[in-house]
Amino acid sequence: MKRLLDNGALVILCSLTLSSAGQASDHGVVGQTFPVIETDLLSVIEQRLQNLQASGGIDRMNAEFARRAEAKVRRPTPVAGITPATQARIWAFDPTIVIEKDVKDQKGNYVARAGQTVNPLDFVSMHQALVFVDGDDKAQMEWATSQYSDLKAKIILVSGSPIEEMTARKRRFYFDQEGRLTGKFGVRHTPAVAEQDGKVIKVSEIKLKGAS
């Protein structure tokens, strides 16, 4: 026992001596060591999926996903920032674009060169007006459907349910997903109409009778 204590004291003394000299020492590993066990992540995921399948969890998740998707189609997210028009406003939108890189046909002939400006209305015409309305506003819907037939215009909702309106009114309606069209034309109020006027598109925000 004394021999063990002497050896222990010797180890402590040597350790203190080396520390005072500013030198690092390796005292080895203290305590029992264990091997690192890496869990097979794919096996864990597979097992959890099997458990979900057995408990009906996957079927419930699929049903919920389908329900949310259907709800999104029936009533898309309204375009932010669009309000009813309280005054008439008209402006021209120039659809001219600048070609970013050369465009060639299959034979290598240039169709357009980088930096060239192109107005799509030089090649195609808008045969229908684009009418933007709030589908939840009955007055706007009545105005749009009474003023414009399917042949004359595409009625595009910025809020509301196009499917419900198609079912009720027996005609086609569209939705301005993520406000891409109203954002491009600069429409901030409805109802609004975009229609070709020569080489530009005339955009009008219309104040309905009774709108404050």
Side-chain angles (χ1 to χ4, degrees):
M1 183 70 176
K2 184 176 183 302
R3 182 185 181 89
L4 292 174
L5 291 174
D6 290 343
N7 288 341
L10 180 60
V11 170
I12 294 173
L13 179 61
C14 290
S15 177
L16 291 174
T17 303
L18 291 175
S19 298
S20 63
Q23 298 179 358
S25 60
D26 184 0
H27 301 294
V29 179
V30 178
Q32 187 176 359
T33 61
F34 300 91
V36 177
I37 301 176
E38 296 184 0
T39 304
D40 189 337
L41 183 59
L42 292 179
S43 296
V44 172
I45 294 174
E46 182 178 0
Q47 183 60 50
R48 289 183 178 178
L49 287 174
Q50 290 176 354
N51 293 339
L52 278 173
Q53 181 67 49
S55 65
I58 290 182
D59 292 337
R60 289 193 296 271
M61 291 171 62
N62 287 336
E64 176 64 15
F65 176 79
R67 185 191 66 78
R68 291 183 180 181
E70 181 181 356
K72 199 73 170 180
V73 171
R74 286 186 172 278
R75 179 168 285 272
T77 303
V79 179
I82 304 292
T83 58
T86 57
Q87 61 181 7
R89 188 166 71 104
I90 300 176
W91 67 96
F93 173 80
D94 185 352
T96 299
I97 60 174
V98 179
I99 304 300
E100 296 183 355
K101 59 182 180 180
D102 293 339
V103 179
K104 298 180 181 179
D105 60 20
Q106 295 179 346
K107 296 182 179 180
N109 300 316
Y110 282 97
V111 176
R113 293 182 179 272
Q116 179 181 347
T117 58
V118 176
N119 186 338
L121 296 179
D122 288 334
F123 309 97
V124 296
S125 298
M126 287 181 62
H127 298 294
Q128 294 173 293
L130 304 180
V131 181
F132 301 95
V133 294
D134 181 344
D136 289 326
D137 188 320
K138 292 182 178 180
Q140 291 190 28
M141 289 299 297
E142 291 300 328
W143 174 85
T145 53
S146 64
Q147 294 290 320
Y148 296 93
S149 65
D150 277 336
L151 291 177
K152 190 176 179 181
K154 293 182 183 297
I155 299 179
I156 305 171
L157 278 58
V158 299
S159 180
S161 172
I163 291 180
E164 290 178 4
E165 292 298 334
M166 283 190 284
T167 301
R169 300 176 185 273
K170 308 303 180 185
R171 61 178 296 179
R172 186 178 297 276
F173 294 93
Y174 303 85
F175 198 93
D176 186 18
Q177 294 285 355
E178 300 178 356
R180 294 176 182 176
L181 289 174
T182 49
K184 180 182 290 293
F185 292 133
V187 172
R188 304 312 305 160
H189 309 285
T190 55
V193 180
E195 52 194 342
Q196 184 173 350
D197 183 13
K199 298 303 180 183
V200 298
I201 297 174
K202 183 178 72 174
V203 186
S204 307
E205 291 179 349
I206 301 165
K207 177 184 176 181
L208 299 182
K209 292 181 180 180
S212 58

